[in-house]
């Protein structure tokens, strides 16, 4: 089974930067998709960025130009570099993974197809 685990969250002032890391284990299939999502309390989960094993990536408008998703395919490590953080970026951030190719970008909003989810890492942005 594929498992993912996030790290790198913390507290930062507005305008600051953080890098989140997600380590995937058991991901032996060569084609797969991974993504970053976030949730504030009981609000609806928000898709931030997805990346496929071929390196292609898409972003939500809310983070485009500020967040960068990247993937170390050899080590199966996913990153989210976050810059110019805003108060509204405060949330629990989740990493997710799913097998196969050609579906992850279409699942940015729904999350459908991502079968392995981490427990999350908290990001808190203060003024």
């Amino acid at each position: 089974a594929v498992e993912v685990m996030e790290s790198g969250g913390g507290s930062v002032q507005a305008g600051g930067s953080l890098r989140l890391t997600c380590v995937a284990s058991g991901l032996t299939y060569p084609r797969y998709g991974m993504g970053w999502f976030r949730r504030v309390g009981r609000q609806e989960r928000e898709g931030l960025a997805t990346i496929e094993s071929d390196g292609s990536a898409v972003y939500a408008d809310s983070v485009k130009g500020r967040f960068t998703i990247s993937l170390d395919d050899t080590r199966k490590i996913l990153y989210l570099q976050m810059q110019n953080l805003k108060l509204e970026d405060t949330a629990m951030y989740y990493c997710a993974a799913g097998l196969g190719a050609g579906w992850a970008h279409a699942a940015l909003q729904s999350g459908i197809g991502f079968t392995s989810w981490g427990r999350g890492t908290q990001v808190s942005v203060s003024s």
Side-chain angles (χ1 to χ4, degrees):
V2 178
E3 295 184 350
V4 296
M5 184 168 65
E6 311 91 339
S7 63
S11 298
V12 63
Q13 288 192 320
S17 301
L18 276 177
R19 187 176 80 161
L20 304 183
T21 299
C22 172
V23 178
S25 59
L27 191 55
T28 57
Y29 195 74
R31 306 295 298 276
Y32 57 92
M34 297 189 74
W36 287 101
F37 299 80
R38 68 186 179 191
R39 175 174 280 162
V40 179
R42 294 187 176 184
Q43 294 181 18
E44 189 174 341
R45 182 182 61 206
E46 179 187 12
L48 304 177
T50 58
I51 190 166
E52 297 224 352
S53 48
D54 65 358
S56 62
V58 296
Y59 296 89
D61 289 343
S62 59
V63 302
K64 196 175 295 182
R66 298 190 300 123
F67 291 10
T68 303
I69 189 171
S70 61
L71 174 66
D72 182 334
D73 182 46
T74 300
R75 296 193 295 166
K76 302 297 188 285
I77 299 176
L78 181 72
Y79 300 98
L80 185 68
Q81 179 68 47
M82 305 185 293
Q83 297 178 320
N84 190 21
L85 284 160
K86 304 176 181 181
L87 298 179
E88 53 264 40
D89 293 319
T90 294
M92 185 70 80
Y93 284 69
Y94 297 91
C95 166
L99 301 182
W103 58 270
H105 301 329
L108 175 62
Q109 280 193 317
S110 69
I112 295 175
F114 289 99
T115 54
S116 301
W117 292 81
R119 294 186 176 184
T121 184
Q122 177 69 37
V123 172
S124 298
V125 184
S126 61
S127 58

